[in-house]
Amino acid sequence: MMTQALLGMCMLAGGCTMKPRYGPVPDGMMRKLQSQVRTTQEMGVRRAGGGVAFQAKVDGGPSVTLPLAVNAIVPTLQCWFNGGKKPVPVIFDTGAQVSVIDAETAVQTGIGIVDPTTTNITVLGVLGREKMIAGIISPLSFGSASLTKHLCLVRTHQNETLRLGPLMRERVKMDLIGFDLARQWCRYVTIDYPRHRLTFGFEEEFKPRAGPRVWKIPLVMMGGMPHIVLESRGVRWLALVDTGSAFGVDIDESLAAELGVLKGAKPVPPGSVNTAIGGMKDVKDSGVKLAALKELEGLGATHKNAEVAISPGGPRVGSYFFQHYKVTIDLTRQTLWLER
């Protein structure tokens, strides 16, 4: 099974020498994951093609509103896995098709693992490909809501930073809830960045307010994820709505060349780390550059001299741009609403 997850870039500022490190999880961690392999009967799932299928439901009312972490650019909420008492901070990532959980978190919370010898899962991330194994969170709870079963992918690699002076190793967690939760269960999702709140609308319709600072943008669903059409200099392109990205408006090098901004782009200064599925690099090594578009259409009002990042992973709009907006992905109307 091939699953694509385009995960956001986390910027980790370093006041001392920082070396990114990416590689397989330790053998001991893999042995613990192997001990958590459960039969399909034990997990209440059944085989379906190359994956698993199961019945699930959401309890907790027509909608639930949750607080978000105040100090995080990307929307980060608290969830509880498998009835545990300790919450797990997770990113709500509209740029990921499915939920992804670090091996360490999977072990700590007792996620049931589907026999990895019967599945073949490769995830394409921003910086490369990564093998993963399937797991079932049962239940997945957040606020007053509880989802009886939720499929996730458990990583077999990990991201770390090595800080020198004094030497210190720090694990960079990448636990996230993918857009599959919203796609399967919600009529809308609202991320109110200024007020640090997130609402999952399970059974009620979104009611947009009227006014000059409300923008209605058509959504295009591709690969199970939300996209919008952007335009500059007569060139139009699809951009992923990627709340898991800590950048703003991203384009790739081919699009930058078409827009005439590649040659004049300026490299991002070294010293920050680009963390993603498939790798971990200093932003300079991953080739991130900054450029400006005289005009950018498609994100509400026309944006003059709009800064864009030229980076791997394809065109997208991330949380750095959305941070001043109340953003609603209206799945019933296939519309993205921006409010200020």
Side-chain angles (χ1 to χ4, degrees), residues 229-233 237 295-304:
V229 177
L230 301 183
E231 182 175 351
S232 181
R233 299 184 61 180
W237 68 93
E295 290 189 351
L296 177 64
E297 304 281 357
L299 283 165
T302 299
H303 294 269
K304 304 286 187 179

Side-chain angles (χ1 to χ4, degrees), residues 62-78:
S63 67
V64 60
T65 298
L66 311 165
L68 296 174
V70 175
N71 61 345
I73 294 177
V74 296
T76 304
L77 62 147
Q78 303 273 32

Side-chain angles (χ1 to χ4, degrees), residues 246-257:
F247 283 153
V249 178
D250 281 25
I251 59 177
D252 55 26
E253 287 196 352
S254 61
L255 180 55

Side-chain angles (χ1 to χ4, degrees), residues 5-62:
L6 296 176
L7 305 182
M9 297 185 177
C10 302
M11 303 298 291
L12 306 174
C16 56
T17 303
M18 181 188 298
K19 182 179 180 181
R21 179 174 175 175
Y22 169 81
V25 301
D27 291 342
M29 186 70 70
M30 285 303 300
R31 287 193 293 270
K32 290 179 181 178
L33 286 176
Q34 288 285 350
S35 72
Q36 293 175 203
V37 172
R38 302 288 180 262
T39 66
T40 54
Q41 291 78 12
E42 287 176 309
M43 290 190 289
V45 303
R46 66 182 187 280
R47 292 289 178 193
V52 295
F54 50 87
Q55 291 185 333
K57 64 176 182 176
V58 173
D59 296 316

Side-chain angles (χ1 to χ4, degrees), residues 92-107:
F92 177 60
D93 188 352
T94 61
Q97 287 178 323
V98 296
S99 299
V100 175
I101 304 299
D102 267 7
E104 184 178 33
T105 301
V107 168

